[in-house]
Amino acid sequence: MKNLRTHGKSTIVWLLMGMLVLGLGGFGVTSFSGGSSEIGSVGGTKVTANDYARALTNQIQAYSQQAGQQVTMAQAQAIGLPQSIQAQLFTAAALGEQARRIGVSVGDQRVVRSISQADGFKGPNGSFDRAAYGAVLRNQGLSEGEFEEQVRQDEARLLLQRAVIGGVTAPQPLVEQTAGWLLERRDISWHELTEEELAAPVEDPDEATLKSWHEANAARFTAPETRKITYVWLTPEMLQDEVDLDEAALRDSYEQRIDEFQQPERRITGRLIFPSLEEAEAAKARLDSGEVPFETIIAERGLSVDEIDLGEMTQDDLGAAGEAVFALDGPGVVGPIQTDLGPALFSMNAILDPIDISFEQAQADLRGEAALDRAARMIDDRLNEYEDLLAGGATLEDVAAETPMELAQIDWSDDMNPDHGSIAAYPAFREQAVEVTENDFPTLERLNDGGIFAMRLDEVVAPTLIAFDEIRDEVAEDWRAEEQHRQLLARAEERRVEAAADPAPATDQPEDGDTATTLDDSAPVALTWTQDKDLTRDGWIDGLPMDVLTQAFAIDEPGSVEVVDAGNRVFLVRLDAVHAADLGTEDGVRVSSAVQQRLGQSLQTDIFDYYARAAQRQAGIEVNQSAINAINAQIQ
């Protein structure tokens, strides 16, 4: 079910850019038993324990859904979530206190409109459903009176908030300057320096130099911590060949999954319902005339493409619309067609061919999947036996000798890149390998494919500087790369001065992507420029690091040349021309509008933040930390 907030609440949350979590806070916890009934106040406006518990629980649930796993209270505290919720609630209370002191309120009509427009209280026909409204509130332990009073307070806060930030817009000069900066285009030329441009090749270092380099850059030549682990493991794949499957079992599996192997033709379909047949016919006429695309009609109904999507449908699934939709031989829109929900237009977006896979064709896959499934069950059946062996003091070597589990060893480190099929590729093993200590007794753990394992940490080898003799060639290669890079940077600075003193005439510039050669008799290799024109800040040049373009847009004057150190590559970059943005174009208008909106929101947020802080100071804040601690402990 969607998060049930009123229209007014949603507006407040969006306008305050996430600063407020008001009222229900998402219907998380319905009550808080024990301790104080409030966690604090701003002036005479209380922040209740239930409000805090609901808001905090709701946010933890939202984070858990995003993460794909349950977020604990300890994790929530580590990222500062409780403190953030408290700040939001106290800000809301400050607004409520201000509204109360200056007499800002709303009437019953405004409250009724907000509730009736809330999506969570609408029925199948898109209108307010009185029964759903009452059921939702009862489910959350709220009376209608309590909820409606919260809506009234939220609407009053919204009026106050609008008054504070109303009329605040970004200054036009700032908008134009920002948009112009974003849309500015430049012509540049670049040249990459290579070893051939050095006066002499990089000489091989002597042993003393290499040994000093090895010592001075010990971090580069240090092996990470290694954990020497002995383990036993057993996976369904290891037992697959031992599983005996008869054809009857495979046929049963085939029949149980017949929908995967036998499917009629399907169409990916959308359905857009209209209040009346006349409106549906008018919309279809506009589509047929080419006046607007179907997406525009959808948006005019206040919906998105995803909200009208029916997914894969057979002709029978579509009922009365089936014949018309399946008569299309390509994507299109048919209708209006009368449905149980009213007249509708149906969009057909793709044709999915029928699936007809016989048992003989599916048998090989069925056998493999069934064998793995049977093997996983075999492991489960003997799990207690293996656990009893370990609990009875058997070593991993004993377990491997008495069971099908296989014994192996691994030198594990955080930066290892395990091969496919290695136990180190399993997340469960990696997690355990980090946590296990030399004092831990081996215990059975699960793998995500139904397998099991147990491990023993034999030794922890601390990060160790690898002996010079073992990696001499690697040290020499590292030194040579660094020395070559240093010399290239020095040579690039020399060439930069030369190029800046005698830049190529603008009339001699090559076409975009072409090269031009500037001869320099004192240089071992001619300086060759490659030019790229009309570049934007968010653009790129094929084959070049982004640092080249970034530096090109940092150069102040056309004709200037800069050295770009891009990791292991060195470039000269010359600014040839700067093209001011034309804010009158379609892109210019679009970007200017987006910049104005973003800057305006930022100013509104800042102003409202100052106002809320002042309101809190004026009214005075009281915080009941013991109540907060009690709620935090209850949500653990």
Side-chain angles (χ1 to χ4, degrees):
M1 179 175 291
K2 293 182 179 179
N3 189 17
L4 303 179
R5 290 181 179 166
T6 68
H7 176 75
K9 287 175 184 288
S10 298
T11 304
I12 289 175
V13 170
W14 281 107
L15 288 178
L16 304 189
M17 277 68 76
M19 294 182 64
L20 301 181
V21 174
L22 302 180
L24 298 179
F27 296 109
V29 174
T30 59
S31 65
F32 170 66
S33 58
S36 174
S37 62
E38 61 192 53
I39 66 167
S41 62
V42 180
T45 301
K46 308 298 184 182
V47 179
T48 71
N50 279 342
D51 284 344
Y52 175 58
R54 276 193 291 263
L56 180 56
T57 302
N58 179 64
Q59 288 300 307
I60 290 177
Q61 291 173 349
Y63 271 80
S64 298
Q65 291 175 354
Q66 294 174 6
Q69 61 182 12
Q70 182 60 44
V71 173
T72 66
M73 186 60 185
Q75 292 170 321
Q77 289 175 318
I79 63 176
L81 192 58
Q83 292 82 356
S84 175
I85 297 296
Q86 294 161 31
Q88 292 164 2
L89 290 172
F90 278 101
T91 298
L95 277 183
E97 178 67 8
Q98 284 291 96
R100 183 186 65 81
R101 293 178 63 178
I102 64 180
V104 175
S105 185
V106 298
D108 292 343
Q109 186 176 0
R110 184 67 171 266
V111 173
V112 170
R113 186 178 66 181
S114 293
I115 293 175
S116 64
Q117 291 176 347
D119 290 339
F121 302 137
K122 290 181 179 178
N125 62 355
S127 300
F128 176 75
D129 188 320
R130 188 68 177 75
Y133 174 62
V136 169
L137 296 189
R138 286 194 301 273
N139 185 51
Q140 302 304 323
L142 289 166
S143 70
E144 293 183 9
E146 290 172 332
F147 179 69
E148 288 160 10
E149 180 58 28
Q150 289 179 351
V151 174
R152 191 185 307 276
Q153 294 174 5
D154 289 345
E155 289 290 349
R157 291 168 180 147
L158 179 59
L159 286 175
L160 184 60
Q161 182 265 336
R162 284 174 175 166
V164 172
I165 67 173
V168 176
T169 59
Q172 192 60 30
L174 178 60
V175 172
E176 293 177 356
Q177 182 182 24
T178 304
W181 183 86
L182 290 170
L183 294 176
E184 176 188 288
R185 295 176 179 270
R186 294 192 170 196
D187 299 343
I188 71 168
S189 295
W190 55 271
H191 170 80
E192 182 172 8
L193 283 83
T194 62
E195 186 177 9
E196 289 74 18
E197 298 188 45
L198 298 178
V202 177
E203 296 181 357
D204 293 332
D206 56 29
E207 291 298 295
T209 299
L210 289 180
K211 288 180 180 179
S212 297
W213 185 257
H214 175 253
E215 294 175 2
N217 298 276
R220 302 187 192 183
F221 310 114
T222 296
E225 177 185 277
T226 300
R227 301 169 73 81
K228 295 183 176 296
I229 294 173
T230 298
Y231 64 93
V232 289
W233 68 322
L234 183 63
T235 67
E237 189 173 358
M238 294 178 185
L239 296 178
Q240 186 174 6
D241 294 339
E242 299 180 20
V243 174
D244 184 22
L245 296 171
D246 57 28
E247 184 173 319
L250 295 180
R251 286 192 177 275
D252 287 343
S253 178
Y254 177 80
E255 292 300 329
Q256 292 170 6
R257 298 166 52 186
I258 193 64
D259 288 343
E260 297 179 29
F261 305 115
Q262 300 290 328
Q263 294 187 31
E265 180 180 324
R266 292 145 295 141
R267 304 288 173 98
I268 297 179
T269 312
R271 179 186 61 196
L272 182 60
I273 299 171
F274 290 84
S276 68
L277 181 61
E278 291 75 15
E279 291 183 62
E281 290 175 338
K284 184 61 164 60
R286 294 172 65 195
L287 290 173
D288 292 343
S289 67
E291 177 184 340
V292 293
F294 191 50
E295 290 75 15
T296 299
I297 301 294
I298 297 171
E300 290 173 354
R301 299 282 299 130
L303 300 169
S304 68
V305 173
D306 289 340
E307 288 176 307
I308 73 162
D309 181 43
L310 297 177
E312 300 178 10
M313 304 291 286
T314 66
Q315 186 167 345
D316 290 341
D317 291 337
L318 290 169
E323 184 176 353
V325 171
F326 272 72
L328 295 172
D329 56 8
V333 178
V334 297
I337 297 171
Q338 190 63 40
T339 72
D340 293 341
L341 299 176
L345 297 181
F346 286 80
S347 64
M348 194 278 285
N349 305 311
I351 299 174
L352 302 178
D353 293 332
I355 297 175
D356 183 12
I357 301 175
S358 67
F359 169 74
E360 288 71 23
Q361 292 171 314
Q363 187 171 2
D365 289 339
L366 287 170
R367 185 175 297 279
E369 294 171 12
L372 289 175
D373 183 64
R374 183 75 61 83
R377 292 200 300 270
M378 289 171 60
I379 292 174
D380 283 340
D381 291 342
R382 301 190 64 182
L383 191 60
N384 290 337
E385 175 188 340
Y386 303 154
E387 288 178 334
D388 290 344
L389 282 173
L390 289 172
T395 65
L396 297 183
E397 289 78 5
D398 295 335
V399 171
E402 298 180 33
T403 73
M405 298 190 75
E406 296 182 3
L407 181 72
Q409 293 181 317
I410 187 172
D411 290 343
W412 188 89
S413 63
D414 283 332
D415 64 346
M416 73 182 305
N417 186 20
D419 296 331
H420 177 70
S422 166
I423 194 171
Y426 288 88
F429 180 88
R430 298 176 68 86
E431 292 172 8
Q432 186 72 8
V434 174
E435 299 173 359
V436 66
T437 70
E438 293 181 80
N439 295 324
D440 291 337
F441 292 101
T443 57
L444 285 181
E445 305 289 344
R446 290 279 191 175
L447 297 172
N448 57 12
D449 62 356
I452 55 175
F453 74 96
M455 67 168 62
R456 179 183 69 227
L457 180 61
D458 298 322
E459 181 184 2
V460 177
V461 180
T464 306
L465 178 64
I466 304 173
F468 173 77
D469 291 341
E470 295 180 24
I471 55 169
R472 182 196 179 285
D473 292 343
E474 182 182 335
V475 174
E477 182 179 350
D478 187 73
W479 179 91
R480 191 179 189 285
E482 287 289 332
E483 178 61 18
Q484 178 177 300
H485 188 70
R486 183 191 67 79
Q487 292 186 24
L488 285 175
L489 285 173
R491 181 55 180 153
E493 183 60 31
E494 296 174 359
R495 309 288 319 250
R496 184 194 69 80
V497 174
E498 296 166 1
D502 186 23
T507 56
D508 295 336
Q509 295 301 322
E511 293 300 319
D512 189 23
D514 290 342
T515 60
T517 300
T518 302
L519 296 179
D520 181 353
D521 293 338
S522 64
V525 176
L527 192 60
T528 302
W529 295 98
T530 299
Q531 188 179 64
D532 286 278
K533 295 183 177 181
D534 212 27
L535 295 168
T536 59
R537 292 181 186 274
D538 61 349
W540 71 90
I541 304 173
D542 288 341
L544 295 192
M546 281 301 299
D547 291 342
V548 173
L549 192 60
T550 300
Q551 184 61 41
F553 274 87
I555 300 175
D556 293 329
E557 298 292 335
S560 298
V561 180
E562 296 294 339
V563 176
V564 177
D565 182 358
N568 60 346
R569 301 170 70 181
V570 177
F571 297 86
L572 290 176
V573 178
R574 182 181 66 209
L575 176 61
D576 295 331
V578 177
H579 306 293
D582 182 357
L583 300 183
T585 64
E586 183 178 347
D587 278 349
V589 172
R590 176 180 57 80
V591 172
S592 296
S593 176
V595 167
Q596 186 171 45
Q597 182 178 11
R598 179 65 63 84
L599 291 177
Q601 289 176 345
S602 178
L603 290 172
Q604 291 170 2
T605 301
D606 290 343
I607 289 174
F608 181 78
D609 184 49
Y610 298 147
Y611 176 82
R613 291 174 184 272
Q616 290 173 355
R617 287 195 298 269
Q618 181 182 33
I621 295 180
E622 293 186 4
V623 179
N624 186 343
Q625 191 61 50
S626 62
I628 293 174
N629 293 341
I631 295 172
N632 291 347
Q634 179 173 299
I635 297 178
Q636 294 288 352

